[in-house]
């Protein structure tokens, strides 16, 4: 028998949790809302998985980091959903979506009907097997997206003290995982193809600090080459890694972070797509009536830059979910809400480091502050300047007030003609805005 709901959220990640809280805030009758997730647990703050979840001492564990603790909100335990009459349908993968018939079908063959659907399926990892890398299906090669992945990695770290770990990729996962593996006292080597880490965001000047700091912490870094194959032992466990430049490294544990891909396959041909995601308007409405898309999968109008963008970060997943629910509830009363006016915000933490970035990383760049990796308290950052205006700002080790100041700069986009002067003023330029 099919189950029917007024609202269904497909996906049980960050966006789903924040959407559920917004529904409850706006008023919800018991039985109206269901969340369908292939994960076995209620929505949680995914960023914990690459950080405190893998700490050697007192690691974070559920229920400690269910949403919405990551933004300082109430922690929504499974009981909360029960109290609100929200049905949490867990360990349930949807394998077919028929947007015309307004129905979803699970791997076990159950049918779920909805009046309004919010697609919140997030991203999936890109695998080395997708590139045909030889031997990439060996045991002890890990990816990190969901709590189950983190559990498997954690068990292996504990089972192999002093192991040699190889981290493939120099992006977010690469940098956060190298740090946490090192904290677990593993012998860590990073490999990535680009000339410096996190090229998606970092300038050469920013990256030089992080690479220097990581080296001081004992992380080996190999740049400008890729992994072409793995060999394994008689148990099928990874043993050696072959690099394109001919080098062969020993490895007992491999962690791969070579990017994510939005999970849109279920909807191919049924909904308009753009820039790899599902195209939405400023209310996260898709091209199909009564279907919304939020979080990593949404390609939405970024008003500040008059451009369609997709953002794979937690702040946007929370805010887009809230915006969609507000728009849905307003429409029911014949009202409208204001357009989404998002200021991109990314952050990361590793070792004793913590950075924040706001705005757009385009145009000329200016590095300021003390970016010497040997400094006892390094504090530095970068501005991005386009058409004579500061459009982006990055800061390592900022206080809450300083981070607020760089956010304001990115929002206000103050003029800056003299880049040398801007470099000299550094953080004090932001503090004046
Ligand atoms: P999210 O991935 O959270 O949730 C998607 C959900 O849909 C999952 O529960 C999935 O199982 C489910 N699903 C997908 N297909 C399904 C199907 N067919 N049937 C049923 N369920 C299905 N960002 C940041 O700004 N700062 C940070 O520090 C970090 N750190 C970080 C660490 C790690 C390890 C990862 C993987 C990611 C981050 N991020 C981050 C990124 C951030 O977590 C990400 O942008 C949000 O989780 C996106 O939220 P969504 O709800 O869109 O997807
Ligand atoms: P990423 O896009 O940040 O980095 C991918 C990296 O993979 C590139 O920088 C490059 O160095 C490397 N790469 C690409 N092809 C390669 C190849 N063939 N061999 C070796 N290296 C290769 O992606 P990620 O780090 O895998 O992160 C996955 C997702 O999780 C992203 O959506 C990311 O935004 C999210 N995430 C975010 C945070 C954060 O915001 N702090 C933390 C963790 C994860």
């Amino acid at each position: 028998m099919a189950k029917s709901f007024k609202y269904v959220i497909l996906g049980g990640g960050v966006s789903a949790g924040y959407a559920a809280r917004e529904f409850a805030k706006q008023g919800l009758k018991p039985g109206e809302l269901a969340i369908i997730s292939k994960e076995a647990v209620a929505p949680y703050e995914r960023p914990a998985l690459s950080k405190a979840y893998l700490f050697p001492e007192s690691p974070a564990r559920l229920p400690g980091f269910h949403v919405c603790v990551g933004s300082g909100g109430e922690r929504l335990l499974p009981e909360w959903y029960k109290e609100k009459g929200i049905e949490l349908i867990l360990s349930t993968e949807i394998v077919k979506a028929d947007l015309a018939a307004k129905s979803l079908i699970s791997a076990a063959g159950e049918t779920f009907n909805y009046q309004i659907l919010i697609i919140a399926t997030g991203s999936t990892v890109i695998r080395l097997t997708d590139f045909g890398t030889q031997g990439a299906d060996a045991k002890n090669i890990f990816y990190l997206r969901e709590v189950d992945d983190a559990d498997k990695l954690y068990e292996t770290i504990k089972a192999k003290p002093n192991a040699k770990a190889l981290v493939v990729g120099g992006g977010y996962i690469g940098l956060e995982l190298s740090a946490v593996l090192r904290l677990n006292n593993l012998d860590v080597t990073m490999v990535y193809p680009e000339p410096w880490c996190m090229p998606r965001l970092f300038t050469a000047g920013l990256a030089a600090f992080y690479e220097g700091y990581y080296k001081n912490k004992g992380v080996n870094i190999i740049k400008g080459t890729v992994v072409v194959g793995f060999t394994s032992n008689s148990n099928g466990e990874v043993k050696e890694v072959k690099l394109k430049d001919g080098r062969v490294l020993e490895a007992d544990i491999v962690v791969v972070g070579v990017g994510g891909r939005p999970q849109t396959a279920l909807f191919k041909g049924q909904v308009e797509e753009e820039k790899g995601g599902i195209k939405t308007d400023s209310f996260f409405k898709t091209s199909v009536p009564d279907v919304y898309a939020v979080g990593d999968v949404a390609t939405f109008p970024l008003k500040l830059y008059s451009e369609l963008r997709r953002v794979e970060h937690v702040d946007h997943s929370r805010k887009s979910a809230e915006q969609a629910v507000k728009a849905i509830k307003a429409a029911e009363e014949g009202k409208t809400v204001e357009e989404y006016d998002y200021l991109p915000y990314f952050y990361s933490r590793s070792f004793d480091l913590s950075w924040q970035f706001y705005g757009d990383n385009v145009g000329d760049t200016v590095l300021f502050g003390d970016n010497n990796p040997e400094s006892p308290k390094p504090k530095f950052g970068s501005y991005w300047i386009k058409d004579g205006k500061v459009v982006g700002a990055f800061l390592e080790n900022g206080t809450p007030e300083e981070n607020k100041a760089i956010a304001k700069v990115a929002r206000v986009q103050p003029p800056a003609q003299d880049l040398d002067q801007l470099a000299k003023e550094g953080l004090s330029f932001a503090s004046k805005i």
Side-chain angles (χ1 to χ4, degrees):
M1 246 259 310
K3 279 189 166 180
S4 296
F5 299 94
K6 185 168 182 190
Y7 313 107
V8 166
I9 302 172
L10 175 54
V14 176
S15 302
Y18 280 76
R21 182 177 67 165
E22 191 59 37
F23 268 120
K25 228 190 250 176
Q26 301 269 338
L28 193 66
K29 293 195 192 91
E32 279 187 333
L33 172 63
I35 294 176
I36 306 176
S37 176
K38 74 178 159 57
E39 290 190 83
V41 293
Y44 58 88
E45 302 285 3
R46 197 165 304 286
L49 297 183
S50 52
K51 304 174 189 72
Y53 202 86
L54 300 172
F55 281 176
E57 306 295 337
S58 327
R61 284 293 175 269
L62 290 172
F65 60 99
H66 280 298
V67 299
C68 302
V69 291
S71 57
E74 185 192 352
R75 188 167 53 134
L76 309 183
L77 298 170
E79 298 84 272
W80 179 88
Y81 297 86
K82 213 174 263 165
E83 268 166 36
K84 300 286 175 197
I86 298 170
E87 203 160 329
L88 263 184
I89 303 171
L90 302 176
S91 305
T92 300
E93 184 178 5
I94 295 300
V95 292
K96 191 170 182 295
D98 185 339
L99 298 184
K102 294 191 159 189
S103 78
L104 305 171
I105 298 171
S106 74
E110 302 149 288
T111 301
F112 302 97
N113 298 320
Y114 59 82
Q115 291 173 36
I116 293 183
L117 175 68
I118 301 182
I119 301 171
T121 42
S123 301
T124 182
V125 295
I126 297 175
R127 292 179 177 269
L128 290 177
T129 43
D130 299 342
F131 305 132
T133 307
Q134 259 179 15
D137 53 355
K139 288 183 196 150
N140 298 337
I141 298 181
F142 297 96
Y143 296 84
L144 185 59
R145 185 75 211 175
E146 300 188 343
V147 81
D148 284 353
D149 304 323
D151 285 336
K152 284 183 212 143
L153 174 59
Y154 187 79
E155 262 170 46
T156 310
I157 293 171
K158 289 294 169 194
K160 291 178 176 287
N162 312 316
K164 283 192 188 333
L166 183 89
V167 175
V168 184
Y172 286 96
I173 292 283
L175 284 167
E176 293 181 6
L177 264 292
S178 298
V180 87
L181 293 174
R182 195 64 204 113
L183 292 178
N184 279 279
N185 217 21
L186 269 52
D187 177 346
V188 181
T189 301
M190 291 179 81
V191 180
Y192 45 88
E194 297 93 351
W196 66 76
C197 64
M198 194 81 87
R200 237 175 1 131
L201 177 65
F202 288 1
T203 62
L206 294 176
F209 167 83
Y210 293 97
E211 289 176 358
Y213 190 97
Y214 272 54
K215 279 182 195 159
N216 289 346
K217 291 283 185 187
V219 175
N220 308 306
I221 297 182
I222 299 178
K223 303 192 266 188
T225 188
V226 292
V227 173
V228 290
F230 300 93
T231 55
S232 36
N233 64 20
S234 53
N235 295 326
E237 295 167 334
V238 67
K239 194 176 98 193
E240 280 176 346
V241 183
K242 288 182 266 177
L243 303 185
K244 196 172 182 183
D245 68 8
R247 271 184 273 189
V248 177
L249 312 171
E250 283 175 52
D252 311 298
I253 296 181
V254 174
V255 179
V256 183
V258 295
R261 191 179 286 136
Q263 305 219 66
T264 58
L266 283 173
F267 313 102
K268 280 267 172 287
Q270 302 187 60
V271 65
E272 235 177 275
E273 292 191 47
E274 185 83 39
K275 297 186 174 170
I278 297 174
K279 189 178 169 190
T280 76
D281 64 11
S282 299
F283 311 101
F284 296 97
K285 231 171 169 334
T286 70
S287 61
V288 177
D290 300 327
V291 178
Y292 292 72
V294 296
D296 281 11
V297 293
T299 302
F300 63 97
L302 215 160
K303 197 174 172 188
L304 194 56
Y305 309 128
S306 308
E307 208 181 285
L308 287 175
R309 293 259 179 108
R310 212 167 55 70
V311 172
E312 293 180 357
H313 293 276
V314 75
D315 178 60
H316 160 71
S317 67
R318 295 168 179 154
K319 290 179 174 157
S320 59
E322 289 167 355
Q323 169 75 354
V325 174
K326 282 182 186 148
I328 289 168
K329 294 303 265 186
E332 287 173 0
E333 293 171 16
K335 294 186 188 149
T336 52
V337 293
E338 278 185 28
E339 286 180 336
Y340 193 59
D341 185 8
Y342 187 61
L343 174 68
Y345 162 48
F346 317 148
Y347 70 89
S348 182
R349 289 192 297 272
S350 60
F351 293 120
D352 296 326
L353 305 171
S354 171
W355 60 257
Q356 299 200 358
F357 166 82
Y358 295 87
D360 211 8
N361 59 320
V362 292
D364 295 328
T365 61
V366 152
L367 185 70
F368 61 83
D370 173 11
N371 73 331
N372 180 352
E374 323 281 338
S375 287
K377 267 202 175 297
K379 183 174 288 195
F380 62 92
S382 184
Y383 293 118
W384 280 260
I385 304 99
K386 196 184 160 204
D387 301 331
K389 292 189 290 188
V390 182
V391 295
F394 176 103
L395 183 61
E396 168 60 44
N397 193 21
T399 63
E401 292 72 40
E402 289 164 345
N403 288 328
K404 241 185 235 163
I406 62 158
K408 194 165 176 206
V409 165
R411 170 62 80 180
V412 172
Q413 303 188 343
Q417 301 302 343
D418 184 343
L419 302 193
D420 292 337
Q421 176 64 18
L422 186 58
K424 232 177 271 161
E425 284 188 39
L427 197 49
S428 64
F429 173 85
S431 306
K432 285 187 316 209
I433 303 299

